[in-house]
Each structure stands twice: as structure tokens, then as C-alpha cells.
Amino acid sequence: HGRDQTSPFTEKYFPQTLDHFNFNSQGNRTFNQRYLITDRYWLKGHGPLFFYTGNEGDIWDFALNSGFITELAAQQGALVVFAEHRYYGKSLPFGLQSFNVPEVGLLTVEQALADYALLISALRGQLAATRCPVIVFGGSYGGMLSVYMRLRYPNMVAGALAASAPILSTAGLGDPSQFFRDVTDYERLAPRCKDAVRGAFHQLKELAENQDYRRIQEKLSLCKPPSSPEDIYQLNGLLRNAFTLMAMLDYPYSTHFMGNMPANPVKVACETMLRASGLLENLRDTAGIVYNSTGALGCFDLYSLYVQCADPTGCGLGSNSLAWDYQACTEINLCYDSNNETDMFPPMTFGETERNIYCSKRWAVLPRPRWLQTQFWGDALSAASNIIFSNGDLDPWANGGVRKSLSSSLIAVNIPGGAHHLDLRGSNDADPESVIKARKTEADLIAQWVKMERTRLRTPKQ
């Protein structure tokens, strides 16, 4: 994993408690939790602590794609920490055994939040920063964790910026067809674009129904011909996932985050879909924007490029995908369907029944579909305070989150023309005006929260 030489961060490890909630199961055993830290901008002992609640991946990926946090730290004199989530990247509690049953059982949202609370507490102690206000930041699932930190540990966390955090849809609130309907937003560039995608999937379906597997292999440049309905389902999932990623990562400049994307990938995809060649060839080349960005692949291997799992929007690859699959089988509810009516994709249902069957087979667990609503308040957030919910309207995750302010301190910031947590990324010449404005709003609110918290920390204890 190439470290960015210009990155201000130092990589460190913290001896983290294995099980915060059961004193018998692991005794006082610990594991090494990785975190990145920089005091380059910190007004020592005084400036706030900006703490990124790491999500489902290698912590360097988030640190190198969240430049707004370090830019803000430079403005506000903050110490910055990016903490890696247990079971991801190098923070594997049981090494390669971490994904065995029962070892994987210590992978829960609650354990991860307790990790962060303990790490914050330890760092404040070590660095003589007990009077430094803490603000948490996160994007996507990391944004959900930032919200939860503010709900669960308001004694430590003065405020949260939750960027593109789908806290409602992942708690099973909302419409299961919303996500892929919003991915279908390709039609805003040209209604013909959506029609072309739908048409291509239709041609694929006809070839599959006629079991013309050779033709499918040839048109889509697959390494092996499909040979069963299961293979076709996998192929549909792989193709749908390409459109999902381009919609999420539809940034106005090229990025290297969750793969390599050109600038404006949705526009590039539509141009590709509308070329003069056949629809299936166009579909292949459009998927290639995601799966073959270097052009080095001679053919697509269905099962190595995309992993089917309990998250129909994709789990990624490697050991991180195992961890996310387990979370999607337990607390994080991702029952999203495509239906070919409100969206442009083949009908693929992933409801409670499918989820239960898959999860009990794969992990020997039964999901708890309403648990996040109980444990982290669902949509009943009015008793909370000091949380920013930011969302970009190009992002298919946005409508699974909070789009309207709920009080004067639970603030929705909507970013027209913004993709998945664009506001967390560093400033760029290609930024739309909307995101520059959003970051300014966020910066002002955070400065206010820090000031309020300082007053609270200074007030002598009775």
C-alpha cells in the first residue's frame, strides 16, 4: 500500500481491549489497533481533537481521501487522528483467524465505538489534552459511527460531522427500492442513457433465457462462458455494481478511492453506453471503467472482480469484504432491491428472507433487522444535538440519510452536484460552488461547538 510521502500522518498502534462488554470471555486481552495521527497543525494542549471514526477499510484510504479534515485542522489548530475500525486493514484482533466463527463475534458497532472512546480518552491523557474539545468526523458508515459516538459518548464528543451517513436506510427505515432508483439517476444526463442500460440488460436476459452462453461470453469479454442461472445472477450483480460505484464516486475530477475513477464517471459511462456499437459491447466497456481502469485485463473473471454478499451494493474485496459481510449480516440492514420498474437494473430481490438464509448459512447468525433503531435511536433523534448530516444529491446513499434539519443543532447540509461525501475531500479547483459553501457552514458550526465545549470544560466541577 503506497504511503503518500506528503502525508502529515504517523502510523501508530494502540493496545485496545478485545471485548469491552464481557469481562469473562477475553479477560483483559488486547489487540493492536492502528491509528494515524498528526500534530502538525495543533496548538498544543489547547486546540481541539479532530477524530475520524474509521469505517470498512484500510485507514490510509480514508486519511488520503479526507483532506477537508486536515485543511480544517490547519485553520482551527487541531490535533488529527484517523482511527482504524476493528477487523479492517491491519486492526485484526485474531490475525488471520479473525473471520472464523466465533472469533468474528467481537465485530460489532458497539465494540467499535467503545474502541474509539477508549482511544480518545487515552490520547487525551497521554498528550495532556484533557481540556481539548473532541469533534468526530466520518463518511458513509464512518459517518454513521460519528453520529453514534455523539449519541453514546456525549461526555467525550462535543459534536459530529456525519457526511453521507445513511443512518435511516441501514436501520431498515425507508423504501427498499430507493437505493437503486437513485443509482438510475444517469437519466439526468440523457434519458437515452437509462434506456440504453435497460436495453442492454434486456438483451443479456434474452441471451440467458436461450442459454446462448457463448454469445454472452463473447459480447461481454468474460474469461469463461457462464453455464447456469447462478452465473447470470453473478454477472448481473457485477454489472449493477459498476453503475453503483460510478454513481457514488461521481466526482468532478479523477480519484483513487475504492478503485480508480475518471472525472465525472457517470458522464463517461453515458457516453460509452450511447456509442454506435452494439449495446452489449457498450455495457462491457462501461463496466470496464470500473473493473478495467488500466485496460490491462484481457477478460472479466466474474467471481474475482465482484463478491456477492449481504450488501447488494457490494462488499469490496479481500478480508475487508468478509468483515463488512458479517456486519451486513448482523446489525447493518442493507435490504435494497432492484426491480426494473423504478430503476434500470434486472429485478434482484434482497429482502429479510434472502438475508436470513444467506447469513445463517454463511456466518451461522440471524440478523437483527430493527436493532439499530433500538440501539441508536433510528429516526427519533430530537433529543440529540451538535450533529451535521451532509449529503450530496448525486449520491444514491443520500436519501437513506437525514435530508432536513431536525433542530437548531441537528443540521442537514445538502450539496447540489455533490457525490458520496465530496465535502470530506480536500479542496479542488473543480469543486462546485455548493461544496465550498457546505464546507464553510461545517467549519463555522464546528468552531462554535469547540467554543461551547471549552466553556463547559473550563467550568469548575461542583
Side-chain angles (χ1 to χ4, degrees), residues 334-377:
L334 296 155
C335 291
Y336 304 152
D337 301 333
S338 59
N339 55 34
N340 202 237
E341 282 163 26
T342 54
D343 57 61
M344 61 188 181
F345 301 109
M348 296 169 81
T349 318
F350 188 70
E352 251 175 72
T353 317
E354 290 88 350
R355 186 183 184 212
N356 287 346
I357 293 168
Y358 171 82
C359 294
S360 51
K361 203 158 80 187
R362 175 64 186 87
W363 297 104
V365 293
L366 270 182
R368 295 182 193 161
R370 322 260 172 273
W371 177 236
L372 288 183
Q373 290 178 38
T374 305
Q375 180 73 330
F376 299 111
W377 309 17

Side-chain angles (χ1 to χ4, degrees), residues 21 24 53 64 78 86 127 145-146 179 197 216 238 244 251 307 312 382 419 441 451:
F21 305 112
N24 283 38
T53 51
L64 298 176
R86 57 168 58 205
L127 301 167
L145 296 175
S146 289
F179 186 86
V197 175
I216 292 175
L238 168 121
T244 298
Y251 300 123
V307 176
S382 59
T441 304
K451 208 169 135 191

Side-chain angles (χ1 to χ4, degrees), residues 413-416 432-444:
V413 171
N414 291 304
I415 306 166
E433 197 52 49
S434 59
V435 79
I436 298 169
K437 218 175 108 199
R439 290 184 188 127
K440 174 87 176 74
T441 304
E442 292 164 357
D444 292 347

Side-chain angles (χ1 to χ4, degrees), residues 48-70:
L49 165 54
F50 288 174
F51 188 95
Y52 185 95
T53 51
N55 33 325
E56 71 282 30
D58 185 298
I59 195 59
W60 277 105
D61 286 341
F62 300 109
L64 298 176
N65 284 282
S66 306
F68 170 63
I69 298 173
T70 38

Side-chain angles (χ1 to χ4, degrees), residues 284-298:
R284 171 199 67 200
D285 294 343
T286 303
I289 299 170
V290 171
Y291 297 115
N292 195 11
S293 56
T294 58
L297 287 186

